Structures are given as structure tokens and as C-alpha cells.
Amino acid sequence: MNETAGVEYTGSDISFVIPTRDRPEKVHATLTALATQSVRCGKVIVAASGSDISSVVFPFQGQLDVTYIHCDEPGQIAQRNRGLKLLDPKVKLVGFLDDDIILESDALGNIVSFWNHVEPNTAGISFNVVKKNGRRLPLWRRTAEKLVPPGRVFMSGFSAPTE
């Protein structure tokens, strides 16, 4: 437990917003990974623009506390903002997952453990993408990895990879 903060987090303290557009197979894989975590998470909100993917999301309702919303306004920022508005103000931790992120089965447990041991003034943390499916990283990312200290989080929200 983070003694200085006086808070002990559990998986249900972490809610996720997943913005997406026209990638139902990716959302299905991301939700499957969340549903099979060693620690159960709190609310999951899938905010989609483009085609209606409710038929992909609704089967997870028995495994996750999941809500689906369709956003007329495209773009991840609009989708994230709509998702945030649906969260209970008492939610302690909020995570944003891209629709193509597949969490390792113990990822949420590791994040909960980490949160329970950080300094009390920690404002945010990020997951590290460890498998890139054989794709080459974009030039900007390769350049950033050479210039930016690993793990640094900028005020813009960009987090430098730790690997």
C-alpha cells in the first residue's frame, strides 16, 4: 500500500476508455484481453465513430462492465471526451487504450501493484508496448527514442517508451 497517500487501489478502481473507428476485430481483441486479465477492471467504455460495432461490444457485458457509445463527431479526442463524461466522478483511475492494444494477462495486476507503491504526487503512468507485430516504427518514433530519456512523460501526454 502507498502509505504516504493512504490509498490502496484494486483493479475495479481503474476504468478504461477505448476510442475506435471501423476496426471491430481490433476492438474484439482488446476487449478479450481486458476480460481475461488476472485482475478485473472497473468500467470500460468503447467510444466508436464510423460503423456501428455494438454487436462486437455487447457480448462482453457478462465479462466486463462495458458501455458502448457511438460518436457522430470523429476523432480520438472527441471519443475520449465523450467516454470520460460517462464515467462516475468517483472513478479513481482512468486509462485510455488504443483499439489495437492487447494487454498481457497480468498487465492490470501489475499496474495496480505499481499504483500502490508510487509517490503520492504521481499524476499518471503508461503501459509500455512490448510487441510491435513485426511493424517498423515510424521515423518520428525512432528519432524520439534516440533523443528522449526512456519513460519520460511530457506535458502533452506523450510518453517515451521504456524499451
Side-chain angles (χ1 to χ4, degrees):
M1 182 168 138
N2 185 345
E3 298 292 336
T4 55
V7 175
E8 183 172 353
Y9 296 107
T10 66
S12 61
D13 291 324
I14 303 175
S15 292
F16 290 101
V17 176
I18 304 170
T20 187
R21 179 179 175 88
D22 297 332
R23 294 181 5 148
E25 69 288 341
K26 299 285 187 184
V27 171
H28 184 273
T30 299
L31 291 175
T32 298
L34 277 174
T36 58
Q37 287 295 299
S38 59
V39 172
R40 187 175 169 97
C41 66
K43 186 79 169 168
V44 177
I45 297 173
V46 177
S49 62
S51 59
D52 181 345
I53 61 165
S54 59
S55 63
V56 172
V57 177
F58 289 148
F60 286 93
Q61 286 182 331
Q63 302 165 39
L64 296 166
D65 180 6
V66 64
T67 298
Y68 171 79
I69 57 169
H70 190 270
C71 303
D72 292 329
E73 185 179 357
Q76 286 190 11
I77 293 172
Q79 293 165 342
R80 287 177 181 170
N81 288 338
R82 288 274 314 275
L84 282 173
K85 288 179 183 178
L86 292 178
L87 291 175
D88 185 314
K90 295 178 184 173
V91 168
K92 296 176 183 174
L93 301 169
V94 177
F96 297 101
L97 292 176
D98 288 347
D99 59 9
D100 62 348
I101 296 296
I102 309 298
L103 300 177
E104 297 287 334
S105 63
D106 60 347
L108 190 54
N110 288 333
I111 289 295
V112 168
S113 176
F114 183 84
W115 269 112
N116 285 330
H117 295 92
V118 296
E119 295 296 320
N121 62 349
T122 302
I125 60 175
S126 70
F127 287 107
N128 186 30
V129 177
V130 294
K131 296 180 183 174
K132 302 189 175 52
N133 297 328
R135 293 180 290 165
R136 187 170 179 198
L137 292 175
L139 178 61
W140 70 267
R141 182 75 178 257
R142 293 190 313 265
T143 303
E145 287 181 352
K146 293 176 185 173
L147 301 175
V148 178
R152 179 165 179 213
V153 179
F154 291 85
M155 290 180 68
S156 66
F158 172 79
S159 57
T162 56
E163 286 188 348

